[in-house]
Amino acid sequence: MPSFVSTFFWITFYLGLVLAPLSILLSGPMPAGSGFWWDFSMALGFTGMAMMGVQFLLTARFPFSNVSFGIDIIYFFHRYLAVMALVIIFLHVAILFTKYPESIGSLTSLQGPWHMRAGAGSLLIFSLMIICALWRKPLGLLYEKWRLLHIVFAVSACSLALGHIEGVSYYLAVPAQHTLWHMYTFFFLLLIFYVRVLKPWLMYKKPYHVTKLHKERDNSWTMTLEPDGFKRLSFKPGQFAWLTLRASPWHIKEHPFSISSSAETENNLEFTVKELGDFTRTIKQTSIGQVAYLDGPYGAFSIDRHPQAPGFIFIAGGIGIAPIMSMLRTMRDRGDRRPIWLIYGTENWHDTTFREELEALKDTLTLHIIHVIKNPPEGWTGETGYITAAILTKYLSPETQSFEYFLCGPKEMSNLVQHALRHRKIPLKNIHCELFDMV
Amino acid sequence: MRERWAKRIAFLTGLIILLLSALFANLQNPAPAGKKDASPDNAPMPMTPVAAGPDISLTEAGREIYNEQFCASCHSLAGNGAPRNSLDAIGKKYTDLELKNRITGADALKDIYSERILRYKQRYKDLTDEELNALILYLKNP
């Protein structure tokens, strides 16, 4: 785990937010009990809703959400907590359904009180939302459409759930509880305003222009951006940003990409993008001078977070080389001569992105490169297949044991290498990986 | 591996929330689980036979109104429905007029009910006198 104390702090903070509505009841004169199962169900309803509300906070991309574990982890957390919250809300209903069936009547009935229908509607939308998020690709939903749908689902489900709670007005009779719940609602609206109005406006005020588009190996493109009369965002090598092209920042058409250029450049920055999905396939159509907006930087995947490291091991798969290029180029520009091993897995030699520049980097860096080619050309004498434990053992000397390890590539590669590293007794805190392809 | 950690921590967080919710419910209901059903709120009221016997068809109509209006989403009768606001003893406690006022959220009850509850109840003003009478009869003879 990256930082136990920091993780512990944030989890406690999270629990505090979610459990505040309940704990405030305990502070005043306690309402009389109505039977364990009834009160348990009500508590689950409240906490489930509070969890869903806090989900907005998790993905609002506040600067503080960048700390210690990296925003990719926060997104994964967001994903799994949503599932937990849905389970909790289902339990809330299931208890009522089995223990107090009369109190909910028929959930599908359209004649029931509006707040019960609001509750049922909210549960239905929450379920749909989670199904779409967990199985977006098998369902054939395009990323941009899915994001829009996700936001519409989230706002409508939470509004219905708030209406449900307001209508039931169960614990809300306690004034402190009532005030707190209204504060939560207000906060929820404020958050939507920040994420959907204010933040895009701040981005709109800082437009970038595409100044270069360069074809790389393996259907990848490097796009150079320059800020329009201001200082570009300052980033740590290895970080990423959300990029909006051909749309205003209010259009929710942004996509996260790793910055591939050096953090030491004057005032431009580069993204290297591979044609993989519906958006990336259109990158090549970008024209010079086109306006782009950036939200970033984000991510904890950076050598700058480990200034004391004696050396680095970079393990890249395919386009996972992009953030690693940023770190290598930055080290070159800083004259950093700490030892580096790069183990780089690609499909074939022809499609090994940046292979010429990597070779050239050997002159200025203490860099060892091990290419692992899945389909090697004839006469290839280097490593073939996948990056395995055997390859790591063969090339990594004992001194590398205390180095910092950076992994970026497809999930299968990442999992395989992480296991191999754990097997080599590399401490978990020294292994860093960027998780992408989140939805 | 980081993803697995995120998964584990999220699962653990969910579990803690579940346990604390159970603890909360337990704190609210200090009596041992077996006894709580015997509390006066939940126990079915012993029925005192009404001298003339209630009008069966009118009581039945009252029950229908009780169901149609989804009274059980906030109230319970003989342990059925939302236990928070039991109506079991209500027939003994109040006169018909008081009951009518309580059902329809009459302004005179401002001091007893919060504004929110009063507003909620005022939607039952739409019920006719016959319907209210039937409902009250049912509440007295569930």
Side-chain angles (χ1 to χ4, degrees):
Chain A
M1 267 181 67
S3 161
F4 180 75
V5 179
S6 155
T7 309
F8 183 76
F9 169 79
W10 285 109
I11 297 287
T12 313
F13 181 69
Y14 175 83
L15 284 175
L17 271 182
V18 170
L19 294 167
L22 280 191
S23 43
I24 209 154
L25 276 179
L26 296 177
S27 62
M30 168 117 56
S34 306
F36 173 81
W37 288 107
W38 178 264
D39 288 315
F40 185 37
S41 167
M42 292 303 119
L44 291 177
F46 264 95
T47 47
M49 176 54 209
M51 279 174 92
M52 286 299 191
V54 177
Q55 289 286 79
F56 284 87
L57 186 68
L58 290 177
T59 53
R61 297 187 212 151
F62 283 110
F64 62 75
S65 59
N66 231 344
V67 295
S68 75
F69 22 78
I71 202 159
D72 54 338
I73 281 296
I74 296 186
Y75 271 84
F76 270 100
F77 209 56
H78 171 84
R79 185 187 176 98
Y80 296 123
L81 279 177
V83 178
M84 292 306 294
L86 189 70
V87 169
I88 284 177
I89 297 173
F90 261 112
L91 269 177
H92 158 69
V93 180
I95 291 173
L96 294 182
F97 200 76
T98 45
K99 291 267 176 189
Y100 311 93
E102 296 84 1
S103 70
I104 46 174
S106 163
L107 275 181
T108 48
S109 161
L110 289 175
Q111 282 101 45
W114 67 268
H115 61 260
M116 295 304 279
R117 277 177 282 154
S122 146
L123 183 62
L124 181 74
I125 299 174
F126 275 138
S127 311
L128 276 177
M129 186 165 104
I130 287 174
I131 289 170
C132 288
L134 294 181
W135 293 285
R136 177 182 76 85
K137 281 180 188 163
L139 287 170
L141 265 171
L142 296 182
Y143 178 77
E144 285 178 3
K145 279 208 182 113
W146 165 79
R147 274 206 68 188
L148 196 64
L149 200 66
H150 196 67
I151 294 162
V152 172
F153 276 167
V155 173
S156 46
C158 278
S159 308
L160 282 172
L162 284 172
H164 170 69
I165 290 173
E166 193 73 21
V168 173
S169 68
Y170 183 57
Y171 285 139
L172 299 189
V174 181
Q177 177 82 352
H178 200 189
T179 313
L180 182 81
W181 202 250
H182 279 178
M183 271 166 58
Y184 269 51
T185 313
F186 177 70
F187 179 65
F188 165 72
L189 293 173
L190 210 63
L191 208 57
I192 292 174
F193 174 77
Y194 170 74
V195 174
R196 298 287 156 230
V197 182
L198 186 64
K199 211 166 167 214
W201 186 75
L202 293 173
M203 280 161 70
Y204 182 73
K205 286 290 191 195
K206 292 199 161 182
Y208 289 75
H209 283 97
V210 178
T211 55
K212 226 188 289 172
L213 188 68
H214 172 72
K215 173 103 169 73
E216 307 281 0
R217 290 180 179 275
D218 196 19
N219 292 326
S220 299
W221 296 83
T222 293
M223 180 191 285
T224 309
L225 297 183
E226 260 177 41
D228 203 4
F230 57 94
K231 182 96 186 79
R232 71 151 164 77
L233 61 88
S234 153
F235 65 94
K236 295 189 179 92
Q239 286 193 300
F240 67 97
W242 265 270
L243 170 75
T244 301
L245 271 180
R246 296 185 287 272
S248 88
W250 287 279
H251 274 85
I252 322 174
K253 291 198 168 174
E254 49 178 12
H255 297 260
F257 293 112
S258 286
I259 301 169
S260 57
S261 56
S262 164
E264 300 293 328
T265 58
E266 195 58 35
N267 207 23
N268 58 18
L269 48 86
E270 292 174 357
F271 292 93
T272 304
V273 177
K274 188 178 172 180
E275 293 181 37
L276 280 170
D278 30 290
F279 176 76
T280 49
R281 265 191 280 273
T282 66
I283 283 282
K284 55 176 174 269
Q285 293 152 14
T286 309
S287 51
I288 304 300
Q290 198 156 55
V291 181
Y293 300 99
L294 292 180
D295 177 22
Y298 294 103
F301 187 72
S302 176
I303 50 169
D304 281 11
R305 296 180 68 92
H306 309 277
Q308 307 302 330
F312 300 101
I313 310 288
F314 295 126
I315 301 168
I319 196 60
I321 193 72
I324 290 169
M325 276 314 281
S326 171
M327 294 195 267
L328 291 171
R329 286 164 168 164
T330 306
M331 287 178 82
R332 172 200 63 200
D333 292 348
R334 291 175 181 167
D336 191 332
R337 296 301 301 245
R338 280 180 282 182
I340 307 164
W341 269 261
L342 168 65
I343 303 170
Y344 184 16
T346 46
E347 279 288 314
N348 59 63
W349 184 234
H350 179 265
D351 288 337
T352 300
T353 318
F354 296 123
R355 68 174 210 220
E356 292 85 357
E357 188 181 341
L358 285 169
E359 210 49 40
L361 278 168
K362 281 182 175 175
D363 297 338
T364 44
L365 294 170
T366 316
L367 175 63
H368 313 268
I369 304 176
I370 300 106
H371 286 285
V372 183
I373 310 290
K374 194 176 162 202
N375 304 307
E378 242 174 83
W380 175 259
T381 54
E383 295 299 336
T384 59
Y386 293 101
I387 303 172
T388 57
I391 290 179
L392 298 178
T393 313
K394 184 171 166 188
Y395 292 97
L396 301 183
S397 57
E399 61 161 325
T400 61
Q401 206 68 15
S402 58
F403 284 17
E404 297 290 335
Y405 289 71
F406 288 88
L407 274 64
C408 191
K411 203 171 173 180
E412 300 72 29
M413 180 215 96
S414 191
N415 286 342
L416 212 71
V417 174
Q418 284 183 65
H419 277 109
L421 291 177
R422 291 295 290 151
H423 196 69
R424 284 176 62 80
K425 304 269 182 294
I426 307 295
L428 205 52
K429 68 174 176 52
N430 290 11
I431 305 173
H432 317 285
C433 54
E434 191 71 280
L435 301 166
F436 51 86
D437 200 20
M438 291 183 250
V439 181
Chain B
M1 214 162 280
R2 291 175 78 219
E3 188 189 342
R4 209 181 307 156
W5 269 109
K7 203 189 270 184
R8 280 180 196 158
I9 293 175
F11 180 73
L12 202 69
T13 309
L15 211 62
I16 292 174
I17 289 171
L18 212 62
L19 288 175
L20 288 176
S21 301
L23 179 74
F24 169 80
N26 204 41
L27 281 173
Q28 264 199 300
N29 297 277
K35 274 190 187 170
K36 72 170 193 291
D37 285 338
S39 70
D41 266 5
N42 287 341
M45 284 297 295
M47 296 297 355
T48 353
V50 179
D55 182 334
I56 301 293
S57 63
L58 205 57
T59 316
E60 202 47 47
R63 182 208 300 280
E64 260 171 44
I65 294 163
Y66 186 85
N67 291 337
E68 272 167 21
Q69 298 296 329
F70 294 92
C71 301
S73 73
C74 297
H75 296 285
S76 69
L77 263 181
N80 295 325
R84 189 98 184 126
N85 305 298
S86 167
L87 298 176
D88 287 333
I90 210 97
K92 295 250 171 303
K93 220 162 153 188
Y94 304 112
T95 64
D96 283 10
L97 181 66
E98 280 171 331
L99 281 176
K100 208 172 276 185
N101 283 342
R102 279 171 180 267
I103 294 169
T104 57
D107 287 337
L109 296 171
K110 258 198 288 241
D111 299 335
I112 303 173
Y113 292 130
S114 70
E115 201 187 324
R116 167 198 298 270
I117 303 290
L118 211 60
R119 236 183 306 130
Y120 195 95
K121 285 182 169 289
Q122 280 168 358
R123 73 183 65 172
Y124 302 115
K125 273 183 177 166
D126 293 346
L127 293 173
T128 63
D129 271 349
E130 289 84 55
E131 285 172 325
L132 281 171
N133 286 337
L135 184 58
I136 288 167
L137 194 66
Y138 173 63
L139 290 177
K140 289 183 161 183
N141 308 281

